[in-house]
């Protein structure tokens, strides 16, 4: 079974990201072609990047327990869905820090995006696609962008229900189908090399 990690990039105390990730997890859990796992960056705190050897050159050797745990976690996935807000037209610093701590663990794996914000997190997602290429990942075209028409009511709701984001289900279905295709193809390819 393909292992897909949903990376929750916002670590803020009152984050909308938790709601978007809950919806994505609910929908992905319904599929029988993947096994989804929520990876909340808040639960995997790392120091600001201070590694002596860049992960691209260090292979799977780690200087400390926190880095080893984080790297070991993401190493276990066949693909990723990054759920990201947009902060000042970029993506959260915590996400960049987490990505900078790994390299080979992510290589030759697909990554898709669920963005949210005034323009659906589109600028943050575009930047992340560039970062993904440098990490030798396969960033996918199909994405979900949660725009203010759905974001604001879902953000303000005292009791959030994942059904509030149901209008985006077709977009997530397309993303998931594409992610499964790439994750399966690259899993096979990785096993052959
Ligand atoms: C520091 C900061 C910068 C922001 N900059 C943008 C921005 O450039 N574009 C945008 O659409 N929303 C921006 N927002 C609004 C966020 O999209 C909105 O607060 C969202 O809920 C943040 O996600 P989170 O609650 O999961 O952390 C910004 C919010 C913060 C806190």
């Amino acid at each position: 079974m393909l292992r897909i990690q949903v990376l929750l990039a916002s670590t803020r105390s009152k984050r909308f990201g938790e709601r978007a990730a809950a919806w994505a997890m609910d929908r992905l859990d319904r599929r029988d072609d993947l096994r989804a796992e929520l990876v909340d960056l808040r639960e995997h705190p790392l120091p600001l990047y201070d590694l002596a050897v860049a992960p691209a050159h260090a292979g799977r050797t780690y200087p400390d327990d926190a880095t080893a745990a984080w790297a070991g976690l993401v190493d276990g996935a066949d693909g990723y869905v990054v759920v990201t807000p947009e902060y000042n037209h970029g993506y959260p610093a915590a996400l960049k820090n987490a990505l900078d701590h790994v390299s080979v663990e992510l290589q030759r794996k697909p990554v898709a995006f669920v963005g949210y914000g005034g323009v659906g997190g589109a600028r943050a997602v575009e930047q992340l696609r560039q970062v993904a290429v440098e990490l030798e990942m396969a960033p996918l075209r199909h994405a979900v962008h949660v725009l203010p028409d759905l974001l604001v009511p879902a953000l303000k709701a005292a009791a959030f229900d994942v059904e509030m984001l149901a209008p985006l289900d077709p977009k997530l279905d397309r993303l998931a189908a594409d992610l499964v295709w790439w994750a399966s193809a690259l899993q096979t390819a990785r096993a052959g090399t």
Side-chain angles (χ1 to χ4, degrees), residues 8-19 83-90 92 116-123 148 151 155:
L8 172 47
S10 172
T11 55
R12 285 200 315 134
S13 50
K14 292 185 178 174
R15 54 192 177 174
F16 174 74
E18 211 166 292
R19 297 181 169 193
V83 177
T84 184
E86 183 171 298
Y87 295 160
N88 295 316
H89 291 200
Y116 52 90
V119 294
R123 293 167 290 223
L151 169 62
L155 180 66

Side-chain angles (χ1 to χ4, degrees), residues 109-152:
K109 295 178 182 177
V111 56
F113 303 95
V114 173
Y116 52 90
V119 294
R123 293 167 290 223
V125 168
E126 280 300 294
Q127 290 184 13
L128 278 166
R129 288 193 173 108
Q130 295 180 18
V131 173
V133 168
E134 185 57 19
L135 286 166
E136 299 188 47
M137 303 179 79
L140 304 189
R141 173 187 182 274
H142 293 284
V144 175
H145 296 284
V146 187
L147 291 158
D149 61 332
L150 294 178
L151 169 62
V152 174

